[in-house]
Amino acid sequence: MSEPHSGRPPLRGAAKQPPEARGLLERMLEFLHPGPDSKTELIETLADAEQRELIEPESRQMLEGVLRMAELSAGDAMVAAPRMDQLDIDAPYDELLAVVIDTGHSRFPVYEGHRDNIIGILLAKDLLKMQRAPELNLRALLRPTVFVPESKGLNELLRDFRSNRNHLAIVIDEFGNTAGLITIEDVLEEIVGEIEDEFDEQSSDTGIYTLADGSQRVAGDASIAAVNGAFSLALPDSDFDTIGGLVAHEHGRVPRRGEAVQVAGLNFAVMLTRGGAVRWFKVTRAPAEETEA
C-alpha cells in the first residue's frame, strides 16, 4: 500500500538560495542596517557598542587606538632629537654609568664626535659587562642602528619591530639628519595609552609634578586654574578648560613632541602626545631676554 501523497517534495537536505536571491537579501539587510562607511562612523559604532555594554571601555579605547594609529607616522610619535638621551663613545665609564642610572632607559644611541653621528645602540645591561671585564671595548658592545624616515607609518614600524626584534629606531628627516628616536613602547602607547613603569611618578589630583631638575611636569589636561595656582599666574580660563587647549591656541595647532611654546613667561616643552593631544608638558621659566623679546 502506497503512502498518501502529502503534496510536498521529499526533503533532501537544506534548500539552497539561488545567488540572485541571496544577493537581494544581503542588499535589503544592508539597507535596513547599513554598516559604517568611514573611520569616523566606525569609531561612533564602537562608542555605541560600549554604551550598550557589548564591549568594555578599555576594549573600545584600544580599538580606537588601532584605528588612529594607522594614520600616524614615526614623526608623530618620536622623541625629538633635542630631548634624546645619548651616550658619547669617548666618555669615561663612570660618566656613561651615571647617565644610565639617571635616565633609567634600557637602550641608548651612542654617538661619536657630534650627536648626529650615531654609530650604534648600547643596551644598559651590556654596559655592566665592562664592570667585570674593564678590558672590553665599548665599540664591541654596540648593536646595529636601525634608521627609519619620519614618514614611516606606525603600523609598518610595529611590524618591523616585531620581526627584527629591535625595540628602538632612529628617525631621520628628509635631509638625512637625525630628527629623533622612537621605541616599540612609543608605538604601543598609541594603542593602549601611556605605559607606566617604575620610573614614572604616581598621578596627582592637579596633574602637576616637580621634577628632579626643578622643572615641572604638567599634564595636558590639567586645569588652567591648577596651573595658575602652581605658577602664580592669571591665565584666562573663560575660553579653554585645560592648559593643553590654551597652549595649542597660542601655537596655532597642537604642538608635536619636542616642540616648545612660550606662554606667560613659561616654556611649555612637549614631552608626550597621545591621540592628537598633548599628554605631558615639561614647564620651565623662560629666560628673561626671551620673555622681553
Side-chain angles (χ1 to χ4, degrees):
M1 182 176 179
S2 62
E3 295 181 0
H5 181 64
S6 62
R8 293 181 299 177
L11 294 177
R12 297 181 180 176
K16 295 183 179 179
Q17 289 181 319
E20 59 272 16
R22 189 162 57 250
L24 176 61
L25 178 60
E26 290 175 351
R27 289 196 296 270
M28 290 180 63
L29 289 175
E30 290 176 358
F31 177 76
L32 295 174
H33 302 284
D37 294 325
S38 65
K39 188 172 295 183
T40 301
E41 289 186 9
L42 181 54
I43 290 176
E44 292 174 354
T45 301
L46 293 173
D48 179 64
E50 179 193 348
Q51 292 177 356
R52 295 163 57 192
E53 298 184 352
L54 298 177
I55 59 175
E56 297 295 328
E58 294 80 5
S59 299
R60 178 186 65 82
Q61 293 172 4
M62 289 181 63
L63 291 170
E64 288 186 8
V66 171
L67 294 173
R68 293 195 173 98
M69 189 181 72
E71 301 175 346
L72 300 177
S73 65
D76 296 316
M78 70 180 183
V79 175
R83 294 188 51 79
M84 288 169 51
D85 293 316
Q86 296 179 248
L87 300 178
D88 185 351
I89 189 68
D90 296 321
Y93 174 80
D94 290 342
E95 183 178 324
L96 297 175
L97 187 59
V99 174
V100 171
I101 294 174
D102 290 342
T103 58
H105 303 315
S106 59
R107 292 170 173 80
F108 294 85
V110 179
Y111 69 91
E112 183 174 25
H114 55 89
R115 289 175 61 89
D116 267 350
N117 184 31
I118 297 174
I119 60 175
I121 304 298
L122 179 68
L123 272 60
K125 64 178 183 180
D126 288 345
L127 183 63
L128 298 178
K129 295 177 182 178
M130 296 185 65
Q131 217 171 26
R132 302 183 65 179
E135 69 278 5
L136 284 176
N137 188 335
L138 183 59
R139 294 178 186 271
L141 300 176
L142 299 183
R143 310 292 179 96
T145 308
V146 175
F147 294 94
V148 299
E150 281 186 288
S151 58
K152 191 178 185 69
L154 292 190
N155 279 341
E156 185 181 358
L157 182 58
L158 180 59
R159 186 164 54 248
D160 290 348
F161 276 146
R162 293 180 61 190
S163 62
N164 58 30
R165 298 187 179 182
N166 283 316
H167 290 181
L168 183 150
I170 301 300
V171 184
I172 57 175
D173 61 20
E174 57 184 323
F175 304 106
N177 300 319
T178 301
L181 68 78
I182 188 167
T183 67
I184 190 171
E185 181 178 314
D186 294 324
V187 180
L188 293 177
E189 283 183 342
E190 294 294 339
I191 301 175
V192 301
E194 186 174 7
I195 301 173
E196 302 287 346
D197 59 27
E198 63 271 25
F199 298 100
D200 291 323
E201 302 177 27
Q202 299 298 317
S203 59
S204 72
D205 294 335
T206 62
I208 301 175
Y209 313 86
T210 300
L211 302 179
D213 60 1
S215 63
Q216 307 290 321
R217 187 174 78 165
V218 179
D221 59 0
S223 68
I224 294 179
V227 174
N228 283 338
F231 296 95
S232 300
L233 299 176
L235 297 172
D237 57 3
S238 56
D239 296 328
F240 303 96
D241 296 326
T242 66
I243 189 62
L246 178 61
V247 171
H249 173 74
E250 292 293 326
H251 191 54
R253 59 173 174 81
V254 176
R256 294 170 57 180
R257 183 185 298 198
E259 291 185 325
V261 183
Q262 287 192 16
V263 178
L266 296 178
N267 191 59
F268 288 83
V270 179
M271 300 175 66
L272 181 68
T273 60
R274 185 71 66 239
V278 175
R279 181 73 176 87
W280 291 108
F281 292 104
K282 182 176 182 180
V283 182
T284 55
R285 296 283 179 181
E289 57 272 16
E290 293 186 15
T291 303
E292 292 173 1

